[in-house]
Amino acid sequence: MDSQMEIEEILTNMEEKLEQAKTVPFSDKVLVDREELYDMITDIRLKMPTEIEQSRWVIEEKNRILVEAQQQAEATIKEAEEERVRMINEHEVTKKAYAQAEEIVDNAKRVSKDMRMGAKEYADDLLMQIDDQMKQLASFTNDELGKLVGIIDSRNKEFAGLLEQKSRILQQNRKELDIHRD
């Protein structure tokens, strides 16, 4: 089960707990098991760091790929330079060797540049995907919390209406008592 679905399930459980919670007499408050809600919140927090760890891994992987690409490029350039020096030292093909060495160096630089660009694009794509997932998670969490607030507000209005109704009945009973004293 992925983290987002697990978080959805936890939030649904929280919602059910609030719906089933007993109301405190003469108030708009409900009684909930604080420890149970803390445990649910802790579970949500434990599920969220997965995306954060993934983004750290992506950054480390990007850096590793860039270092590796740089090392390969330097090794290729070094090899090309060594080849160029060797060819220059050979009498009969000095000009041809120089041209080939330059071509090798140019190719090595081009390959190095392409590797660096590819690594950066790969890392950027992964970071963008993780960012999208985190935005979706934030949006989902906000939506679910909004629903919870709506449910609590609705229960509060129902309870206030019930109290008002009971108050009217009490006032009516008091009036009846005043009538019978005469």
Side-chain angles (χ1 to χ4, degrees):
M1 182 181 284
D2 71 357
S3 295
Q4 186 170 352
M5 289 180 68
E6 289 175 353
I7 290 171
E8 278 184 49
E9 186 176 316
I10 293 168
L11 289 172
T12 300
N13 288 340
M14 286 174 75
E15 204 172 32
E16 288 172 2
K17 294 291 180 193
L18 284 173
E19 287 176 8
Q20 296 169 358
K22 294 181 181 181
T23 57
V24 175
F26 305 109
S27 79
D28 60 348
K29 310 239 184 280
V30 293
L31 292 174
V32 292
D33 183 346
R34 180 188 308 215
E35 195 62 38
E36 190 174 5
L37 282 179
Y38 277 138
D39 288 345
M40 290 178 176
I41 291 169
T42 300
D43 284 347
I44 290 172
R45 286 191 175 128
L46 289 173
K47 303 298 181 217
M48 290 175 67
T50 302
E51 280 72 15
I52 295 169
E53 286 299 317
Q54 285 177 349
S55 65
R56 282 190 191 131
W57 177 83
V58 168
I59 291 170
E60 289 173 4
E61 188 67 11
K62 177 195 80 155
N63 289 337
R64 185 192 64 76
I65 290 170
L66 289 174
V67 166
E68 192 176 289
Q70 184 67 32
Q71 289 172 344
Q72 286 180 342
E74 289 172 3
T76 304
I77 290 170
K78 183 178 177 185
E79 287 174 19
E81 283 295 315
E82 290 171 0
E83 180 68 17
R84 186 177 72 122
V85 168
R86 188 185 61 76
M87 292 177 120
I88 288 173
N89 290 335
E90 294 179 11
H91 317 319
E92 61 246 327
V93 288
T94 301
K95 284 188 178 183
K96 184 176 179 183
Y98 185 79
Q100 286 178 344
E102 286 297 320
E103 185 176 319
I104 291 170
V105 169
D106 289 343
N107 284 339
K109 287 179 182 177
R110 193 169 33 256
V111 167
S112 170
K113 182 180 176 183
D114 290 345
M115 289 175 78
R116 275 186 266 137
M117 288 302 294
K120 285 180 181 180
E121 288 174 3
Y122 171 75
D124 185 52
D125 286 346
L126 286 177
L127 289 172
M128 188 171 33
Q129 289 173 9
I130 290 170
D131 186 49
D132 288 344
Q133 289 175 353
M134 290 176 71
K135 286 177 183 175
Q136 288 174 359
L137 180 60
S139 174
F140 169 79
T141 302
N142 286 338
D143 291 346
E144 291 302 313
L145 289 175
K147 289 178 187 176
L148 287 174
V149 168
I151 290 170
I152 291 170
D153 188 45
S154 172
R155 293 289 170 94
N156 182 29
K157 287 179 183 175
E158 288 175 13
F159 187 73
L162 183 63
L163 287 177
E164 187 176 315
Q165 179 185 12
K166 299 296 181 186
S167 178
R168 280 189 299 230
I169 291 170
L170 289 172
Q171 288 174 1
Q172 184 179 1
N173 289 341
R174 285 185 69 219
K175 282 183 183 178
E176 288 177 11
L177 287 174
D178 285 342
I179 292 172
H180 295 299
R181 283 188 195 167
D182 294 343

